[in-house]
Amino acid sequence: MLKNSTLKRTSYLAFSLVALLSTNLQAASFDWGELEKQKIDLKLPLLTVQGEKGLLACAYVDVATCEKTGEACAIVSGVKTHSDMLSRPIVALSSAAKALGVKKGMLGSEALEILR
């Protein structure tokens, strides 16, 4: 019989493996098409994905600035790669992104389909 701590670790590892595989499969099947990916290496990477209608970015980007310029932008947090951005929920967005149909809580991949 497994000890409770061993069972918890095993469950956590299994969950982590499934999440990693799911993210990798989603990224592999996602059509990046004409989307332009940018990465600036800082302590944590500054990531953006630019579509024709707007921008998906990490939390380094300030929505208030996008509001001033009237640009459509959606923000995801806790990402280290462009692939990570696909499976993270939108945590902030500009009015212009909202007008296009982007919603808080929607996945980055869903937002990118709108911002393409």
Side-chain angles (χ1 to χ4, degrees):
M1 191 162 172
L2 292 175
K3 290 184 180 180
N4 196 21
S5 62
T6 303
L7 185 59
K8 285 181 182 178
R9 269 192 304 242
T10 303
S11 296
Y12 175 77
L13 288 172
F15 175 78
S16 297
L17 182 60
V18 169
L20 178 64
L21 290 173
S22 175
T23 299
N24 287 341
L25 287 174
Q26 183 178 16
S29 65
F30 185 78
D31 176 17
W32 293 96
E34 299 298 316
L35 296 169
E36 185 179 330
K37 298 184 282 185
Q38 297 291 323
K39 178 182 178 186
I40 298 173
D41 289 314
L42 301 169
K43 287 185 180 182
L44 291 173
L46 190 165
L47 300 167
T48 63
V49 182
Q50 178 72 44
E52 191 173 306
K53 297 176 186 172
L55 174 77
L56 178 67
C58 71
Y60 269 119
V61 175
D62 185 13
V63 172
T65 302
C66 294
E67 285 294 346
K68 289 178 187 176
T69 60
E71 295 172 291
C73 75
I75 306 297
V76 292
S77 183
V79 295
K80 292 186 180 174
T81 67
H82 289 102
S83 296
D84 291 346
M85 296 174 81
L86 299 175
S87 60
R88 300 296 298 161
I90 303 302
V91 295
L93 65 152
S94 67
S95 301
K98 188 174 184 178
L100 290 171
V102 179
K103 296 179 179 143
K104 219 177 206 185
M106 140 185 308
L107 296 180
S109 59
E110 295 170 308
L112 282 173
E113 291 303 332
I114 294 169
L115 300 170
R116 250 182 214 281

